[in-house]
């Protein structure tokens, strides 16, 4: 899908810059035309000679060539590109991109680019975890840029953690998938539920669960990147969608989630129920904080929450698809099949807490998909974004 595509490969100054040569080779082998744009410090890590030999084009790094005065137009470059990839993107380059600090050719080109931008961060784990980096990456997301999450592993500092630039093959795949799939779901509307629900006990306490929203948001991003209009009805989470077109409706309790879903459901083609909804809620929420007493601990009476998936299953119209999840700890198959039938689902995605790396909080998941017509497909442990791609592929097959 990259044949004939114009790609700007932005390289900033991090040790992962050596991997950019492999990424460049993959683009060239796929038939893309690549223009490398480097920051001054990028050149400390890999030479422009290597990159221009691989791309067949002089590398651009300065605003003009000193001895001839030839001006390098970042505006023309920005218009030429079908995609811009910044790999590696250091904390400094990310901060400059987020705040428009246009003091080098890579940033001016970024500010001029009309094409989709993909950012592959690479830095030490503490720099990556710093709130400044989180804020800057969220700003880039809000501008519509796609963040290619770094992997965990050994870093240049010999510390182990999250911050390693994603492997060139995976960055290449993100671009290849982007071009091959971007119109697959054009004209379709999707509802995705994500995250936990919080059921209030008193003004400071709630019943909740460990869901982070990562799985649901990955599904929403994947569907949006294939052209769907997506709305997430989300319980309380700390994450945001990467795709700029995804709409988020924030809710707290299961009842609020039900109300938001009932509002959205009539206008969607498909709903994916990924939220971990609390099955029970306190019968009442105390008006003020329950105090610790020396006497017996308080007894909290629970009532059943509405089953949102079931409620939508009862209203499903012809042609509408309803996808559920089953999070199990035992009797996985039987429980998943029971949920598939009782909630009138077209497909159920089973993840088991018995599988290492699956379920809550992790960046990975391991799923088996069952369809109402009896098909079963098991998948290997993958990143949640890859799992999301498998789920969307299966929905398209439905
Ligand atoms: O958010 P992450 O940290 O990335 O974790 C992802 C996940 C583990 C939460 C996700 O992959 C997942 O399994 N979500 C469903 C969790 C769950 O509540 O499963 P369940 O087996 O209890 O529910 C079955 C289905 O009914 C689910 O589609 C659920 O959304 C839905 N349900 C459940 C109860 C309820 N009251 N209303 C519902 O709609």
């Amino acid at each position: 899908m990259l044949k004939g595509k114009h790609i700007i490969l932005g390289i900033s100054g991090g040790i992962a810059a050596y991997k950019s040569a492999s990424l460049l080779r993959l683009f060239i082998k796929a038939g893309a035309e690549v223009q490398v744009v480097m920051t001054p410090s990028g050149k400390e890590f890999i030479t422009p000679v290597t990159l221009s030999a691989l791309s067949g084009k002089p590398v651009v790094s300065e605003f003009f060539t000193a001895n001839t005065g030839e001006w390098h137009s970042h505006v023309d470059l920005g218009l030429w590109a079908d995609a811009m990839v910044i790999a590696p993107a250091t904390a400094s380059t990310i901060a400059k991109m987020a705040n428009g600090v246009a003091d080098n050719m890579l940033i001016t080109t970024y500010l001029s680019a009309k094409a989709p931008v993909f950012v592959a961060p690479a830095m030490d784990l503490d720099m990556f975890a710093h709130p400044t980096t989180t804020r800057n990456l969220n700003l880039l997301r809000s501008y519509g840029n796609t963040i290619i999450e770094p992997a965990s592993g050994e870093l240049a500092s010999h510390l182990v953690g999250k911050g390693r630039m994603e492997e060139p093959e995976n960055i290449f795949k993100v671009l290849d998938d982007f071009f091959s799939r971007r119109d697959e779901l054009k004209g379709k509307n999707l509802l995705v539920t994500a995250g936990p629900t919080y059921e209030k006990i008193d003004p400071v306490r709630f019943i909740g669960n460990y869901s982070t929203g990562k799985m649901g948001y990955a599904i929403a991003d994947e569907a949006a990147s294939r052209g769907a209009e997506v709305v997430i009805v989300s319980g309380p989470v700390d994450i945001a969608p990467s795709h700029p077109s995804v709409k988020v409706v924030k809710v707290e309790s299961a009842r609020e989630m039900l109300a938001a879903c009932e509002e959205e459901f009539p206008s969607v083609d498909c709903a994916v129920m990924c939220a971990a909804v609390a099955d029970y809620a306190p019968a009442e929420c105390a008006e003020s904080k329950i105090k610790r007493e020396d006497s017996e601990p308080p007894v909290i009476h629970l009532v059943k929450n509405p089953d949102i998936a079931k409620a939508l299953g009862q209203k499903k119209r012809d042609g509408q698809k309803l996808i559920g999840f089953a999070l199990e700890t035992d009797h996985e198959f039987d429980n998943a099949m029971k949920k598939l039938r009782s909630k009138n689902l077209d497909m159920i995605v089973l993840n088991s807490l018995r599988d290492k790396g699956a379920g809550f909080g992790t960046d990975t998941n391991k799923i088996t998909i069952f369809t109402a017509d009896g098909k079963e497909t098991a998948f290997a442990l993958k990143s949640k974004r890859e799992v999301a791609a498998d789920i969307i592929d299966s929905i398209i097959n439905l």
Side-chain angles (χ1 to χ4, degrees):
M1 288 312 292
L2 290 175
K3 198 169 168 29
K5 293 284 184 294
H6 294 170
I7 296 175
I8 297 173
L9 176 57
I11 300 176
S12 59
I15 186 68
Y18 79 93
K19 292 190 194 171
S20 308
S22 308
L23 179 60
L24 171 53
R25 254 179 72 77
L26 289 170
F27 286 147
I28 296 292
K29 271 176 74 178
E33 244 186 90
V34 184
Q35 175 62 61
V36 176
V37 181
M38 300 178 85
T39 64
S41 61
K43 292 193 287 186
E44 307 283 334
F45 290 88
I46 183 164
T47 73
V49 178
T50 306
L51 298 162
S52 71
L54 290 172
S55 67
K57 284 180 192 292
V59 166
V60 174
S61 183
E62 314 301 334
F63 289 111
F64 54 87
T65 308
N67 55 349
T68 62
E70 186 196 350
W71 176 251
H72 300 139
S73 171
H74 51 87
V75 177
D76 288 350
L77 258 183
L79 294 174
W80 170 84
D82 294 307
M84 180 171 186
V85 189
I86 296 114
T90 59
S92 157
T93 286
I94 289 167
K96 288 181 184 180
M97 289 165 68
N99 296 289
V101 182
D103 66 351
N104 67 47
M105 190 68 189
L106 192 155
I107 305 295
T108 51
T109 307
Y110 165 72
L111 293 176
S112 307
K114 297 269 181 282
V117 176
F118 299 82
V119 184
M123 64 197 77
D124 212 46
L125 76 166
D126 293 320
M127 294 172 79
F128 185 71
H130 197 280
T132 309
T133 307
T134 306
R135 188 201 57 196
N136 288 332
L137 286 172
N138 281 338
L139 280 173
L140 296 189
R141 287 189 180 97
S142 73
Y143 309 154
N145 303 162
T146 300
I147 310 302
I148 303 172
E149 287 290 320
S152 290
E154 191 173 348
L155 302 160
S157 60
H158 302 300
L159 295 170
V160 176
K162 190 166 176 175
R164 259 164 77 112
M165 187 177 89
E166 185 51 283
E167 292 304 321
E169 292 73 17
N170 294 338
I171 299 175
F172 174 84
K173 190 170 178 308
V174 170
L175 270 284
D176 196 45
D177 286 351
F178 170 78
F179 283 111
S180 60
R181 294 171 163 180
R182 64 177 161 179
D183 289 335
E184 251 177 353
L185 289 173
K186 212 173 170 163
K188 300 285 179 202
N189 291 277
L190 246 83
L191 161 65
V192 180
T193 66
T197 62
Y198 285 180
E199 313 297 332
K200 276 187 170 171
I201 297 170
D202 70 10
V204 299
R205 303 180 181 91
F206 57 85
I207 295 174
N209 59 67
Y210 298 114
S211 173
T212 55
K214 285 180 187 173
M215 190 66 253
Y217 278 64
I219 293 168
D221 283 332
E222 182 63 27
S225 74
R226 301 200 203 182
E229 295 283 326
V230 185
V231 57
I232 306 181
V233 173
S234 174
V237 294
D238 289 334
I239 57 172
S242 299
H243 200 284
S245 74
V246 174
K247 186 177 133 195
V248 182
V249 177
K250 289 260 183 186
V251 296
E252 192 170 295
S253 66
R255 283 178 191 281
E256 286 170 15
M257 187 171 273
L258 173 68
C261 286
E262 283 186 326
E263 175 128 5
E264 300 290 342
F265 192 59
S267 55
V268 300
D269 300 286
C270 174
V272 184
M273 313 307 286
C274 188
V277 185
D279 284 315
Y280 298 95
E284 53 195 35
C285 169
E287 264 178 36
S288 42
K289 184 180 170 188
I290 300 170
K291 295 280 179 262
R292 184 189 168 95
E293 305 289 353
D294 288 335
S295 53
E296 287 297 295
V299 173
I300 298 166
H301 290 283
L302 300 178
V303 290
K304 257 192 178 173
N305 264 337
D307 186 325
I308 304 167
K310 196 168 184 172
L312 300 188
Q314 283 162 358
K315 295 181 178 170
K316 195 170 64 169
R317 59 167 198 272
D318 273 359
Q320 231 178 358
K321 300 290 173 202
L322 183 61
I323 317 302
F325 268 72
L327 177 65
E328 305 297 340
T329 54
D330 47 75
H331 300 101
E332 286 87 345
F333 175 80
D334 290 346
N335 289 333
M337 292 324 266
K338 223 182 272 171
K339 286 171 187 170
L340 179 76
R341 289 193 198 101
S342 67
K343 295 175 197 250
N344 193 22
L345 305 173
D346 298 283
M347 183 175 119
I348 193 154
V349 181
L350 166 69
N351 42 187
S352 170
L353 289 183
R354 283 207 283 193
D355 287 323
K356 204 163 175 279
F360 289 129
T362 50
D363 289 323
T364 52
N365 205 358
K366 186 170 184 311
I367 60 161
T368 305
I369 291 181
F370 300 91
T371 56
D373 61 4
K375 284 199 203 87
E376 171 181 341
T377 317
F379 296 84
L381 184 75
K382 297 183 181 185
S383 73
K384 279 190 172 158
R385 187 62 194 254
E386 290 171 310
V387 170
D390 289 335
I391 292 169
I392 296 294
D393 284 343
S394 303
I395 294 173
I396 290 171
N397 285 338
L398 279 181

